[in-house]
Amino acid sequence: MLRKSGNNAAAIPSSPLTLPPAALGLLLQLAAFMLVWMFARLSPVIIPLLGYALIQGVLAASLTRLAGMPRWWLAIGLLFAPALVGALSLQLSSSWYLAAFVLLVLVYWSVFKTRVPLFLTSSQAHAALADLLPDAKDFSMIDLGSGLGGVLAKLSSLRADGKYIGVESAPLPFVISRLRLFGRRNCRLVWGDFWQRGLGDFDLVYAYLSPVPMAKLWHKAKQEMKPGSLFVSNTFAVPGVEPERTISLDDMSGSVLYVWQI
């Protein structure tokens, strides 16, 4: 049995209106481009196009750091312009760029709104989650943002006596999950926004999202989940709320499962 925490759910404080990271990253790239353009106009030295792209990348990464964006946006800011110049130098057909764009849209359909990218749960996390499932039969668990369906597929094989639900809003991962889980009667995949799903019927709620929604999701969990049920987050903790248990995973990303008992 997990220790009962003394932390109480608090109302989520209101925050000022901020730009989504994708929009802010684009604005910073435009700002870096304008600085490079001004430099190119004033400089007597002729620099190759790739050189200008590298300068823009350094400027964009610096602006990203000053803006306080997450660390992975530094790499995006640094590499965006050089990668664009490199791709143009290959002189590929425009159909390749269209196909790449469509693929990205199908995979990252809702990232601009939710700010939650696609993360894949490791096999070590699968094993740890299986140990957290209730001993009693006929339990139920839900995977919020189930991606390619790996969690549901693995747990439903290890513990066939449970009921498993996944919620996914990105088109291509949803289709892949549907094919992957075809014929598994103890699994159900739901298309849509997990914020619209109630959590009161589940013994375990699993999420592998991002830092952005964790405070709001914890508030939802405290309001809706039944006493004794488990809320488990992979990698991303609830800010200001101490978990009852942490499980370090020996996987490639050094992930941690944060476990709270309601």
Side-chain angles (χ1 to χ4, degrees):
M1 180 67 69
L2 299 177
R3 301 189 314 273
K4 187 67 176 178
S5 171
N7 295 310
N8 295 320
I12 300 174
S14 59
S15 59
L17 181 63
T18 57
L19 288 174
L24 180 57
L26 178 60
L27 288 177
L28 295 177
Q29 282 289 342
L30 291 175
F33 172 79
M34 292 303 298
L35 291 173
V36 171
W37 179 79
M38 293 173 59
F39 171 77
R41 295 267 299 182
L42 298 174
S43 176
V45 181
I46 298 177
I47 301 176
L49 181 60
L50 181 58
Y52 284 121
L54 291 172
I55 295 173
Q56 178 176 332
V58 172
L59 288 172
S62 301
L63 293 174
T64 300
R65 180 67 180 271
L66 291 174
M69 298 183 69
R71 286 179 296 176
W72 57 81
W73 279 97
L74 297 178
I76 295 175
L78 179 64
L79 299 176
F80 177 79
L84 181 61
V85 172
L88 292 175
S89 69
L90 296 176
Q91 298 182 341
L92 297 175
S93 170
S94 59
S95 59
W96 284 102
Y97 295 105
L98 177 60
F101 175 76
V102 172
L103 179 63
L104 289 173
V105 169
L106 291 176
V107 174
Y108 298 103
W109 174 268
S110 57
V111 170
F112 185 83
K113 177 183 177 181
T114 64
R115 298 160 70 175
V116 176
L118 174 65
F119 291 115
L120 301 181
T121 300
S122 66
S123 58
Q124 291 86 342
H126 293 158
L129 286 170
D131 290 338
L132 292 173
L133 294 174
D135 294 330
K137 296 182 179 180
D138 297 326
F139 63 85
S140 60
M141 73 87 64
I142 186 170
D143 184 358
L144 305 179
S146 53
L148 303 181
V151 170
L152 301 183
K154 187 63 176 180
L155 295 186
S156 63
S157 297
L158 294 174
R159 290 287 306 275
D161 54 336
K163 297 177 182 178
Y164 304 89
I165 293 180
V167 184
E168 181 54 55
S169 61
L172 186 56
F174 180 83
V175 172
I176 293 174
S177 297
R178 257 298 171 68
L179 296 174
R180 189 175 189 178
L181 300 173
F182 181 78
R184 296 176 185 254
R185 295 185 178 182
N186 57 349
C187 291
R188 184 162 68 93
L189 194 61
V190 179
W191 163 270
D193 184 357
F194 64 75
W195 294 109
Q196 306 302 319
R197 300 288 306 182
L199 304 179
D201 295 332
F202 301 101
D203 299 289
L204 189 149
V205 174
Y206 174 68
Y208 191 4
L209 303 174
S210 81
V212 176
M214 292 310 300
K216 180 180 177 182
L217 182 56
W218 172 249
H219 181 74
K220 176 179 174 68
K222 290 289 288 184
Q223 292 293 318
E224 298 178 2
M225 292 179 65
K226 57 188 177 183
S229 57
L230 298 182
F231 174 67
V232 183
S233 175
N234 192 329
T235 302
F236 306 109
V238 176
V241 182
E242 189 73 20
E244 278 84 0
R245 181 180 175 188
T246 60
I247 304 173
S248 297
L249 306 174
D250 187 20
D251 56 14
M252 291 183 61
S253 57
S255 305
V256 176
L257 293 186
Y258 298 94
V259 183
W260 293 267
Q261 187 174 47
I262 303 300

